Amino acid sequence: MQLLFSSLKLFEVHHLKNLLEAEGIRCHIKNELLSRLAGEIPFTECAPQLWLLDERDLDRAKQVVADFGRSAPATPPWQCPDCGEALEGQFSACWHCGALRPESR
Ligand SMILES: [Zn+2]
């Protein structure tokens, strides 16, 4: 299996899975339940992940993921309220201390 996408926002992972399945591409979500523990264990270890089941679909799947990325609204960089780390907009949690971005709390 091939990892396609990972996000702490479970709805994004589900939305992308729906888009892929609409194209006939089979995929599987890992860590769906673990994401509820975000904040208690490092978020990089519990973010929901979307895995491709058949690598023959990889090129088409990458295209769907790229289109999905472009359609998502751009998120501005932000600063962690807990430790002050500067973070890029695509991160929904601080890589340094694991705090969630304020508007996603
Ligand atoms: Zn932080």
Side-chain angles (χ1 to χ4, degrees), residues 78 80-85 87 94-99:
W78 58 288
C80 176
D82 289 359
C83 73
E85 190 67 43
L87 296 143
C94 175
W95 60 265
H96 186 253
C97 73

PDB file of all heavy atoms in Angstrom, residues 78 80-85 87 94-99, ligand 1:
ATOM      1  N   TRP A  78       0.907  30.551  10.714  1.00  0.00           N
ATOM      2  CA  TRP A  78       0.388  30.872  12.044  1.00  0.00           C
ATOM      3  C   TRP A  78       1.474  30.639  13.070  1.00  0.00           C
ATOM      4  O   TRP A  78       2.486  29.998  12.780  1.00  0.00           O
ATOM      5  CB  TRP A  78      -0.856  30.051  12.347  1.00  0.00           C
ATOM      6  CG  TRP A  78      -0.669  28.567  12.291  1.00  0.00           C
ATOM      7  CD1 TRP A  78      -0.497  27.809  11.166  1.00  0.00           C
ATOM      8  CD2 TRP A  78      -0.615  27.649  13.393  1.00  0.00           C
ATOM      9  NE1 TRP A  78      -0.348  26.490  11.510  1.00  0.00           N
ATOM     10  CE2 TRP A  78      -0.419  26.354  12.853  1.00  0.00           C
ATOM     11  CE3 TRP A  78      -0.723  27.802  14.779  1.00  0.00           C
ATOM     12  CZ2 TRP A  78      -0.324  25.218  13.671  1.00  0.00           C
ATOM     13  CZ3 TRP A  78      -0.630  26.661  15.578  1.00  0.00           C
ATOM     14  CH2 TRP A  78      -0.438  25.391  15.022  1.00  0.00           C
ATOM     15  N   CYS A  80       2.295  29.253  16.986  1.00  0.00           N
ATOM     16  CA  CYS A  80       1.757  28.419  18.050  1.00  0.00           C
ATOM     17  C   CYS A  80       1.526  29.242  19.313  1.00  0.00           C
ATOM     18  O   CYS A  80       2.437  29.920  19.787  1.00  0.00           O
ATOM     19  CB  CYS A  80       2.710  27.272  18.346  1.00  0.00           C
ATOM     20  SG  CYS A  80       2.160  26.253  19.723  1.00  0.00           S
ATOM     21  N   PRO A  81       0.286  29.202  19.861  1.00  0.00           N
ATOM     22  CA  PRO A  81      -0.004  29.981  21.071  1.00  0.00           C
ATOM     23  C   PRO A  81       0.659  29.401  22.321  1.00  0.00           C
ATOM     24  O   PRO A  81       0.812  30.097  23.320  1.00  0.00           O
ATOM     25  CB  PRO A  81      -1.530  29.901  21.185  1.00  0.00           C
ATOM     26  CG  PRO A  81      -1.892  28.632  20.485  1.00  0.00           C
ATOM     27  CD  PRO A  81      -0.868  28.461  19.379  1.00  0.00           C
ATOM     28  N   ASP A  82       1.061  28.153  22.256  1.00  0.00           N
ATOM     29  CA  ASP A  82       1.632  27.510  23.441  1.00  0.00           C
ATOM     30  C   ASP A  82       3.143  27.683  23.534  1.00  0.00           C
ATOM     31  O   ASP A  82       3.676  27.982  24.604  1.00  0.00           O
ATOM     32  CB  ASP A  82       1.282  26.020  23.465  1.00  0.00           C
ATOM     33  CG  ASP A  82      -0.190  25.784  23.756  1.00  0.00           C
ATOM     34  OD1 ASP A  82      -0.906  26.789  23.960  1.00  0.00           O
ATOM     35  OD2 ASP A  82      -0.614  24.634  23.760  1.00  0.00           O
ATOM     36  N   CYS A  83       3.853  27.505  22.403  1.00  0.00           N
ATOM     37  CA  CYS A  83       5.313  27.562  22.480  1.00  0.00           C
ATOM     38  C   CYS A  83       5.907  28.644  21.587  1.00  0.00           C
ATOM     39  O   CYS A  83       7.107  28.874  21.627  1.00  0.00           O
ATOM     40  CB  CYS A  83       5.925  26.198  22.147  1.00  0.00           C
ATOM     41  SG  CYS A  83       5.845  25.783  20.394  1.00  0.00           S
ATOM     42  N   GLY A  84       5.067  29.317  20.762  1.00  0.00           N
ATOM     43  CA  GLY A  84       5.558  30.423  19.958  1.00  0.00           C
ATOM     44  C   GLY A  84       6.217  30.018  18.658  1.00  0.00           C
ATOM     45  O   GLY A  84       6.745  30.858  17.928  1.00  0.00           O
ATOM     46  N   GLU A  85       6.177  28.724  18.312  1.00  0.00           N
ATOM     47  CA  GLU A  85       6.789  28.243  17.082  1.00  0.00           C
ATOM     48  C   GLU A  85       6.060  28.834  15.866  1.00  0.00           C
ATOM     49  O   GLU A  85       4.841  28.930  15.859  1.00  0.00           O
ATOM     50  CB  GLU A  85       6.702  26.711  17.049  1.00  0.00           C
ATOM     51  CG  GLU A  85       7.490  26.054  15.948  1.00  0.00           C
ATOM     52  CD  GLU A  85       9.000  26.222  16.121  1.00  0.00           C
ATOM     53  OE1 GLU A  85       9.495  26.076  17.242  1.00  0.00           O
ATOM     54  OE2 GLU A  85       9.665  26.516  15.113  1.00  0.00           O
ATOM     55  N   LEU A  87       4.693  28.445  12.159  1.00  0.00           N
ATOM     56  CA  LEU A  87       4.267  27.259  11.413  1.00  0.00           C
ATOM     57  C   LEU A  87       3.659  27.628  10.075  1.00  0.00           C
ATOM     58  O   LEU A  87       2.987  28.652   9.943  1.00  0.00           O
ATOM     59  CB  LEU A  87       3.252  26.478  12.257  1.00  0.00           C
ATOM     60  CG  LEU A  87       3.871  25.946  13.553  1.00  0.00           C
ATOM     61  CD1 LEU A  87       2.896  26.020  14.692  1.00  0.00           C
ATOM     62  CD2 LEU A  87       4.374  24.535  13.361  1.00  0.00           C
ATOM     63  N   CYS A  94       0.927  22.181  15.888  1.00  0.00           N
ATOM     64  CA  CYS A  94       2.332  22.551  16.060  1.00  0.00           C
ATOM     65  C   CYS A  94       3.209  21.299  16.042  1.00  0.00           C
ATOM     66  O   CYS A  94       2.970  20.371  16.816  1.00  0.00           O
ATOM     67  CB  CYS A  94       2.489  23.292  17.383  1.00  0.00           C
ATOM     68  SG  CYS A  94       4.198  23.689  17.790  1.00  0.00           S
ATOM     69  N   TRP A  95       4.236  21.279  15.163  1.00  0.00           N
ATOM     70  CA  TRP A  95       5.114  20.105  15.133  1.00  0.00           C
ATOM     71  C   TRP A  95       6.008  20.076  16.361  1.00  0.00           C
ATOM     72  O   TRP A  95       6.580  19.046  16.696  1.00  0.00           O
ATOM     73  CB  TRP A  95       5.951  20.092  13.853  1.00  0.00           C
ATOM     74  CG  TRP A  95       6.846  21.289  13.692  1.00  0.00           C
ATOM     75  CD1 TRP A  95       6.551  22.429  12.982  1.00  0.00           C
ATOM     76  CD2 TRP A  95       8.148  21.495  14.241  1.00  0.00           C
ATOM     77  NE1 TRP A  95       7.581  23.320  13.076  1.00  0.00           N
ATOM     78  CE2 TRP A  95       8.588  22.775  13.846  1.00  0.00           C
ATOM     79  CE3 TRP A  95       8.988  20.729  15.042  1.00  0.00           C
ATOM     80  CZ2 TRP A  95       9.826  23.301  14.232  1.00  0.00           C
ATOM     81  CZ3 TRP A  95      10.221  21.269  15.418  1.00  0.00           C
ATOM     82  CH2 TRP A  95      10.624  22.525  15.010  1.00  0.00           C
ATOM     83  N   HIS A  96       6.149  21.213  17.024  1.00  0.00           N
ATOM     84  CA  HIS A  96       7.077  21.309  18.146  1.00  0.00           C
ATOM     85  C   HIS A  96       6.467  20.785  19.439  1.00  0.00           C
ATOM     86  O   HIS A  96       7.057  19.978  20.139  1.00  0.00           O
ATOM     87  CB  HIS A  96       7.519  22.760  18.307  1.00  0.00           C
ATOM     88  CG  HIS A  96       8.585  22.953  19.352  1.00  0.00           C
ATOM     89  ND1 HIS A  96       8.321  23.527  20.560  1.00  0.00           N
ATOM     90  CD2 HIS A  96       9.896  22.625  19.353  1.00  0.00           C
ATOM     91  CE1 HIS A  96       9.443  23.542  21.271  1.00  0.00           C
ATOM     92  NE2 HIS A  96      10.406  23.007  20.562  1.00  0.00           N
ATOM     93  N   CYS A  97       5.239  21.249  19.746  1.00  0.00           N
ATOM     94  CA  CYS A  97       4.642  20.843  21.025  1.00  0.00           C
ATOM     95  C   CYS A  97       3.327  20.095  20.847  1.00  0.00           C
ATOM     96  O   CYS A  97       2.767  19.594  21.821  1.00  0.00           O
ATOM     97  CB  CYS A  97       4.446  22.056  21.932  1.00  0.00           C
ATOM     98  SG  CYS A  97       3.107  23.130  21.406  1.00  0.00           S
ATOM     99  N   GLY A  98       2.795  20.027  19.611  1.00  0.00           N
ATOM    100  CA  GLY A  98       1.587  19.252  19.377  1.00  0.00           C
ATOM    101  C   GLY A  98       0.295  20.021  19.599  1.00  0.00           C
ATOM    102  O   GLY A  98      -0.786  19.474  19.421  1.00  0.00           O
ATOM    103  N   ALA A  99       0.374  21.317  19.958  1.00  0.00           N
ATOM    104  CA  ALA A  99      -0.846  22.113  20.165  1.00  0.00           C
ATOM    105  C   ALA A  99      -1.578  22.284  18.833  1.00  0.00           C
ATOM    106  O   ALA A  99      -0.952  22.419  17.781  1.00  0.00           O
ATOM    107  CB  ALA A  99      -0.491  23.477  20.738  1.00  0.00           C
TER     108      ALA A  99
HETATM  109 ZN    ZN B   1       3.868  24.703  19.882  1.00  0.00          ZN
END
